[in-house]
Amino acid sequence: MVERKYVPVRCFKGDKPSITVTLTNVMGESIELTLRVDTGFDGSVLLDKEMYRKFIVGELPESMWRRFKTLNGYLVMRTAKAVLMIEDKQLETLVLTPNDFEGKNLIGLEVLKELAIMFKEGKATCIMKAE
């Protein structure tokens, strides 16, 4: 059996799991923001409407907007291209915002599955790296 040892690269303190990332739109304009970690969100990055405006230059046609099934039916999300950077990792991703209401700033499973993360209950969220 092969074992891997992981060491923390960077930890983000807080009572709720969150990480700070840099998002870049298709025009090369970057913003740094803190996103709450949401393992119940299947998408990539959810932004409130104000933050999403910075990414509207890379918005996909409405026919390609993401749709999520909820208990109340389908939720349509405006969708735009972006690049997410965290530490030495760079990922092409999609940023989303709800078409019908304000939204929140979250990072979901689509991005989280690409990262090694450790949660220290009530203290910090750490990005890990294999040693």
Side-chain angles (χ1 to χ4, degrees):
M1 176 185 233
V2 176
E3 290 185 24
R4 271 193 183 168
K5 182 178 178 183
Y6 286 87
V7 294
V9 177
R10 185 171 177 200
C11 292
F12 306 93
K13 294 186 189 278
D15 58 338
K16 298 192 177 172
S18 60
I19 57 176
T20 301
V21 301
T22 301
L23 284 172
T24 306
N25 66 18
V26 296
M27 300 293 287
E29 302 164 337
S30 297
I31 58 169
E32 185 175 279
L33 68 153
T34 300
L35 302 170
R36 290 274 313 275
V37 174
D38 188 346
T39 58
F41 174 50
D42 289 337
S44 51
V45 176
L46 181 66
L47 299 176
D48 60 34
K49 290 203 181 295
E50 181 182 335
M51 282 295 170
Y52 182 81
R53 285 190 198 110
K54 296 172 172 105
F55 297 91
I56 206 160
V57 296
E59 189 170 70
L60 300 176
E62 190 171 344
S63 62
M64 297 178 75
W65 287 359
R66 304 287 296 277
R67 288 164 176 72
F68 294 90
K69 189 174 184 176
T70 68
L71 293 174
N72 295 330
Y74 285 92
L75 180 61
V76 178
M77 299 278 195
R78 295 177 71 170
T79 307
K81 291 183 179 185
V83 173
L84 180 139
M85 291 178 55
I86 182 159
E87 295 313 308
D88 60 349
K89 195 165 195 93
Q90 181 174 317
L91 305 166
E92 288 186 20
T93 191
L94 298 172
V95 293
L96 314 168
T97 197
N99 195 34
D100 298 325
F101 58 94
E102 183 57 32
K104 297 178 180 183
N105 295 330
L106 306 173
I107 189 164
L109 287 176
E110 213 170 276
V111 173
L112 294 173
K113 70 181 181 184
E114 302 295 326
L115 305 172
I117 296 178
M118 178 180 71
F119 300 108
K120 293 182 179 179
E121 187 178 338
K123 296 181 182 174
T125 304
C126 299
I127 303 298
M128 308 297 284
K129 180 175 158 182
E131 192 174 64

